[in-house]
Amino acid sequence: MDRAHLKAILARVSSGEVPVDEAVERLSHLAYEDIAFAHIDHHRSLRKGFPEVVYGEGKTAEQIIGILERMVEQESIVLVTRVTPDKADRIQAAFPEGVYHADARMVIWGEPVQDDASRKPIMVISAGTSDIPVAREAYLTARSMGNPVQAAFDVGVAGIHRLLGYHEQMAAAGVLVVVASMEGALPSVVAGMVDRPVIAVPTSVGYGSHLGGLTALFGMLNSCSSNVAVVNIDNGFGAGYMAAVINRP
Amino acid sequence: MDRAHLKAILARVSSGEVPVDEAVERLSHLAYEDIAFAHIDHHRSLRKGFPEVVYGEGKTAEQIIGILERMVEQESIVLVTRVTPDKADRIQAAFPEGVYHADARMVIWGEPVQDDASRKPIMVISAGTSDIPVAREAYLTARSMGNPVQAAFDVGVAGIHRLLGYHEQMAAAGVLVVVASMEGALPSVVAGMVDRPVIAVPTSVGYGSHLGGLTALFGMLNSCSSNVAVVNIDNGFGAGYMAAVINRP
Amino acid sequence: MDRAHLKAILARVSSGEVPVDEAVERLSHLAYEDIAFAHIDHHRSLRKGFPEVVYGEGKTAEQIIGILERMVEQESIVLVTRVTPDKADRIQAAFPEGVYHADARMVIWGEPVQDDASRKPIMVISAGTSDIPVAREAYLTARSMGNPVQAAFDVGVAGIHRLLGYHEQMAAAGVLVVVASMEGALPSVVAGMVDRPVIAVPTSVGYGSHLGGLTALFGMLNSCSSNVAVVNIDNGFGAGYMAAVINRP
Amino acid sequence: MDRAHLKAILARVSSGEVPVDEAVERLSHLAYEDIAFAHIDHHRSLRKGFPEVVYGEGKTAEQIIGILERMVEQESIVLVTRVTPDKADRIQAAFPEGVYHADARMVIWGEPVQDDASRKPIMVISAGTSDIPVAREAYLTARSMGNPVQAAFDVGVAGIHRLLGYHEQMAAAGVLVVVASMEGALPSVVAGMVDRPVIAVPTSVGYGSHLGGLTALFGMLNSCSSNVAVVNIDNGFGAGYMAAVINRP
Amino acid sequence: MDRAHLKAILARVSSGEVPVDEAVERLSHLAYEDIAFAHIDHHRSLRKGFPEVVYGEGKTAEQIIGILERMVEQESIVLVTRVTPDKADRIQAAFPEGVYHADARMVIWGEPVQDDASRKPIMVISAGTSDIPVAREAYLTARSMGNPVQAAFDVGVAGIHRLLGYHEQMAAAGVLVVVASMEGALPSVVAGMVDRPVIAVPTSVGYGSHLGGLTALFGMLNSCSSNVAVVNIDNGFGAGYMAAVINRP
Amino acid sequence: MDRAHLKAILARVSSGEVPVDEAVERLSHLAYEDIAFAHIDHHRSLRKGFPEVVYGEGKTAEQIIGILERMVEQESIVLVTRVTPDKADRIQAAFPEGVYHADARMVIWGEPVQDDASRKPIMVISAGTSDIPVAREAYLTARSMGNPVQAAFDVGVAGIHRLLGYHEQMAAAGVLVVVASMEGALPSVVAGMVDRPVIAVPTSVGYGSHLGGLTALFGMLNSCSSNVAVVNIDNGFGAGYMAAVINRP
Amino acid sequence: MDRAHLKAILARVSSGEVPVDEAVERLSHLAYEDIAFAHIDHHRSLRKGFPEVVYGEGKTAEQIIGILERMVEQESIVLVTRVTPDKADRIQAAFPEGVYHADARMVIWGEPVQDDASRKPIMVISAGTSDIPVAREAYLTARSMGNPVQAAFDVGVAGIHRLLGYHEQMAAAGVLVVVASMEGALPSVVAGMVDRPVIAVPTSVGYGSHLGGLTALFGMLNSCSSNVAVVNIDNGFGAGYMAAVINRP
Amino acid sequence: MDRAHLKAILARVSSGEVPVDEAVERLSHLAYEDIAFAHIDHHRSLRKGFPEVVYGEGKTAEQIIGILERMVEQESIVLVTRVTPDKADRIQAAFPEGVYHADARMVIWGEPVQDDASRKPIMVISAGTSDIPVAREAYLTARSMGNPVQAAFDVGVAGIHRLLGYHEQMAAAGVLVVVASMEGALPSVVAGMVDRPVIAVPTSVGYGSHLGGLTALFGMLNSCSSNVAVVNIDNGFGAGYMAAVINRP
């Protein structure tokens, strides 16, 4: 429930369209709602401008559906991340209007946030083909939060001319999300070329001493460029969210 | 075999109800019993006030059943932890009165310890939905050891108003068990609000740099609150046990 | 050399005030300048909006002075970080107008960037007294880059009412920098209360299993709040820089 | 300021002994006090039953003195931990009644908490001679919080008969604090012998693969005894504090 | 091929029983034999007193059989370790006289080394039920190398009276192998009770911060007893082998 | 597309055999080609002397086939590494002339680079039987790049006479690739015997404290021989490639 | 106090030479003696055949002297390890007959254990010059325990012909102690050449990824030779002690 | 003693210039020489083409001088690495013709190897100013071994135009040594631009999560360019040596 939604209810109370008792009922869950295995934070869209996002890993399809049942009554968009195809089938059976993006392992129910503000695009760049699932998670999150988003995938530093082909697009972006595994060098190089904030996302793809993504993570934290900050390994959602918060006018 | 049990046998010997030879036989295994793959510590309930708990992981169903066969003759309650549904089926075939708590992966045979002491409740708090199995293991262990137990699940620090709703319940508890993954911040915040001991349990749920729960573990060890001590990752049983020992009048 | 500076030179060339040959000389080092032990990136202020910052650790006082000699000819402000009092003395002997901020271990030469844009303040928050040096480095960097900055130090989560006293100030900030050691929980709690971006800075202060700041670092990366991104341990400069880049209109 | 202290002030207001204005002044700092480099949590003794403890490492003698100046006006006892002899001299110059315990690196100002409750003793056990500083920190903290405390030092598992000599004393304790380095085995052995809670403290003493105490820490977390919980490496203060909280009637 | 075997061939050559050409053929592979995927070290039994042992993990059943085909022609006993039941079936199909010890995951072909030397027994002790596979590997290896072997399983430090029951047997052993996981404390306690060498074997059984056995490994390396040396995690074979080498008269 | 290939096209343009428009079309993709999930670096064979190699892990069979479709039009040889038998079947269905080397998990399409240069052989040595897959990857890569290659497998340091049997072959090699797991000692010993460069490859085979190959990796980096450099764990391809680059006349 | 010492006292009691009361006094401390900062384990020489060894690190010179005062009354030899020159001076002032071996950082008071048993020599081998202090600690410990000891220093694997020059001496040894840093390969190579037990000692000498000796430690644990067991990093004393225990007839 | 040196002696024997007995004396130390604390490997220059290099860390000035005394009699150049200014003074007092290169912490005695072969230059590149000591060590080593060497310092990826200015020089090099700390990205970028071998050297310079150079090390091992191999952290000598071995015609 965001501010617009809340205002609308109150306006309808004021006009008599919605009786007070019904409004009380609907607003009474505002703070949070206890459904035994979860406390849903309905207050979050008011406090933070976007509703709670459901982290799908470690939850059963039943638990996710139970949470969604409460959320769709109050929100205009709900994101579920880390959803296996299996769970997605069961969720879509309950919420047919939810869309499953298999490449990003996300279920999105509802429509992207819309407002009148004009924003610069967010640009999502990935170093390799196998970083695409994480990059797509960032892409869809940022778009769901009302941003124009652009993408360039598989443009790592081993062939730097591929990256240079996107120079103008990069310069025009408001925020950049850079997803990479291996040595995690791409965010440094990108950040050295632009004057806007870069959110770096290490991925767990690799072998040998990549250490499940820690190598890329530490590489990014030690970036010699200063306009870089880092989110957790494989956290495409967090990067997209952070980029959208920065890009908010 | 706890003190009450031992006293009862001796009383019946004293009254002639149990012949000496039979008593000898039953008490001869008091120290421990060697069943080839295990040395059962029958002495433990006397020494520590609660019988040995069977750690189910790494034991076959046959080994667990073999151990249970000896224990149920001497104890009024036996706990088996880390039991897969598969093994649970085979254990219950042998001990139909054993109850399998799938959400906590425990088999409990017998009745909770009962005594006349009045105790404050133990409160079990979990940060997220996926921490529930560990929290439930703590819950059931503490209850089996004769404590009133209360629970609040999914009340992590990202929406701190959810936690505040439990303030009075927290203040009334004798001991608190706080289960969390991610950054492991919840025990610090809870411990800052109460003056009773907090047992912190990190869980292995998470991704990226959570390091299988080490991140939460180290976070809890570095808590800036002083009424916190920590047990091993995912060790819900140990937390419930320690809380019960502390809460013992 | 930022755009304004460049424009000014060209205007004076255009007006005949500066002869072409002199302008050529001054602009010829624009790309970079090789002084044996360093390649000074004079192009950076044009490309990134702020001149290269000199990282003082691992450089002798002579090397720092050598670099400053070239930079002060082209820039209106130069920052040197990680400067020991010893080196500071020698630098100030060569550049008496440079100011040494001992609490932040920085030498600042010149005046903060000034422009007409109105910006929201950046707020710098630290969890403990011993995090202050890192927090001050962030503070001075953000201010040097033309931002109003506010601070609240020693407001960690063990006594959360101290933090709540700053609620309004936090809500009014454009970007927040949160500096913490120990379990690194403060950024999560702060980020849960605001809807603006939070840059988290772990510090290496602590003992035992703090692992030189890795515990706080991993805690912050695993934050359960999504409007958080992280910079390297003790990297107050990077946090201040990133916050300023985000806050740039 | 604990409850007794607060009650006393109010009683004197009630009796007219203290004018209202003066009481307002004294109580106005109740929540916390901002002295630029610290927010002193005066509310803590009310909330937690013992005043904030000053962690001396990373603070200058001046900062510590500044904090003490405010605290001694409100509290009857103040502990400062991790104090070098150097800093201790300067602190004692300002507060001559503060006592420096060099073996525990603590300054204690004021008198142990006194109440009418009768408590079992807390027993502090250390494995080796070099663990004594940490064990003494636990000892003095527990005593300052109003507990009878007993100690047995250098009774590690390589000569287990030394430990057995303390069997009766151990059985009579209400809580046990066990300090050990090396393989961290002592808490397991002690906990196997008693039915009360054991707080284990790993120390950073050792060499080779002791990993700065991590080896002992992990050993203790993996204890095969269940009445054990662990605090951070070298955290004698925390262990003593936690033991006192548990032992509180 | 051990010395006895070699002498026997040469004696039969000397007596004319074996023609020179046949002897040449049999001895020609003495140094090593190249079978494309392996260089079999036939010289090892002469050099080290026991033939090369085949490490089964990472080899196909075909490769193991190929190696055995060459070895059984030259040796009187061959051990294959880390054999899954699957591979064991296929090996036994080729070598029906090979015995599969499922609890130790070993195939043993041939008879234990026999010599006239009288030796003290080797004693194998394990802390828990789930350490038994590793302990059995040590047991069978030591026995195959011609030693009397005794065993006591599941006698960990949480109930130290179980261990004390074996005191005399321990005192009579020539070498002790102690297998443990968790905190790895058992070897220290055992070594503190005897004056003979103790070979400690950490196992990878456990959960949470056991770190795949590293916790037990480091605990054992930091043993406060001096008559302890350590082999790799789960290396029951190596422990049995080392014990047998030490026990060799 | 290597230089010879490019020259051939241009010659045929020059001779009128290929119309200009067709040549334009074929050369237009020279820099790189964007096929949604990949940017193929066609320029690489010109820049580096060998075409881009497709890393098969983390790519679907469809993605690999899509990339191959573009590459085979421009290159005379293409390598795909880390291919499971499953994916190999599907790739071979699309490119029947591609050969799958199951022991090295590689698909090779086309013919080894051929030139007139005479080169010394590259020698690939492995310590154990289970290192063979990685050694074979190095072998096939070096051969594909136009080198004579020799191999000796299973010649580890526990029976050093096996290695000495290859002394002359080793002395005659131009570059040596040494593949080992366990303690990673083989490269040091080999490098101590020759005066040519040794490329060391740690493998992830092993158990206990081998740490997924990190033990061998660190051992090799700490080699006491100076003519050794190291590639990533299991990176047989990289070792073969680096050896071929060094051996290039 | 070893058995011979004890027997002597009792014989003199029996012969009337020593009055019973005096004997009682001297034997009363047999179990252990509590001197506030230490519990001296006088029973150890009886139980283990060699008196407790004083670990000097982390003890003050005063504490060491205090312990020695009690021990010299009961033992014929006392070893103090890890003694800085500074502390050695003060110890020798109190015990002028104690000898300080600066290269091994040991103080030895008394004479090596002497018995009639004939033993094979123990051989101590070191890989590099900087491993000598640790190797000397092993050397002196083994000699103090009554063994003939031989040494070969700086014979690492980079020039393996140096090691081969000691082949006969190695073959004649009863036990070998091999000290090495870097990749820790020397114990594997030595153990491959002999049929006696090898005690491997990693040292903390090195740089880069030697990880304070962990690289050598893990290398030795992963030795492909089976007659190797390992002690802690830099633990020359432990290696010498273990070798002497093994070599005891 | 290299081949030329040996040939010269033999020629003079053949011509009668050197009597046989004197030649015997000089050649008798050929294999190695035992000087108590070291076994000098005089055979190395024959076997590997360059004499043993003395690693100065962990050796006293006396030990270094003792080794030099033997070596200068047989070699025409000797390198001593990791020499503090202090030790350098004492070495130069004994060998005044030795030159101390303070920036590389090396003492070089004698003249670079000279031969008639023409070689391409080796190029040494460093990312930052503080990497220069390691880069200089590589530079001087490669030059001592008879190579033309070029250098470009402080050309890291944050301002990639600085690196591009050296493109032609890089393309003309026979081997490249790239020294970097932080994220270790420079070798990947350089290797992507050339077709010759790149030896990557991580340095321990940095702060926060650089982990003493492990971050750069792992980054380089995970390079997405294939013509890269890595040496140990700070191992400038090893990189220069390896480059020279590769560049040897």
Side-chain angles (χ1 to χ4, degrees), chain G residues 153-171:
Chain G
F153 294 156
D154 189 34
V155 292
V157 301
I160 212 159
H161 58 296
R162 298 180 297 193
L163 182 66
L164 298 178
Y166 289 94
H167 191 274
E168 280 182 36
Q169 229 173 312
M170 284 161 54

Side-chain angles (χ1 to χ4, degrees), chain G residues 26 48 54 77 109 113 130 149 168 171-173 182-183 190 192 203 205 213 217 220 227 234 238-239 243:
Chain G
R26 281 170 76 174
K48 314 250 308 199
V54 185
I77 182 165
W109 175 95
V113 169
S130 44
V149 193
E168 280 182 36
M182 312 289 278
E183 74 270 64
V190 169
T203 66
V205 175
L217 169 65
M220 292 169 178
N227 44 338
D234 290 337

Side-chain angles (χ1 to χ4, degrees), chain G residues 230-249:
Chain G
V230 185
V231 297
N232 203 355
I233 298 164
D234 290 337
N235 191 3
F237 158 68
Y241 191 101
M242 182 70 173
V245 168
I246 293 173
N247 208 38
R248 197 179 275 165

Side-chain angles (χ1 to χ4, degrees), chain G residues 4 22 42 49 126 154 165 178 191 201 238:
Chain G
E22 189 189 323
H42 292 310
S126 93
D154 189 34
V178 184
V201 195

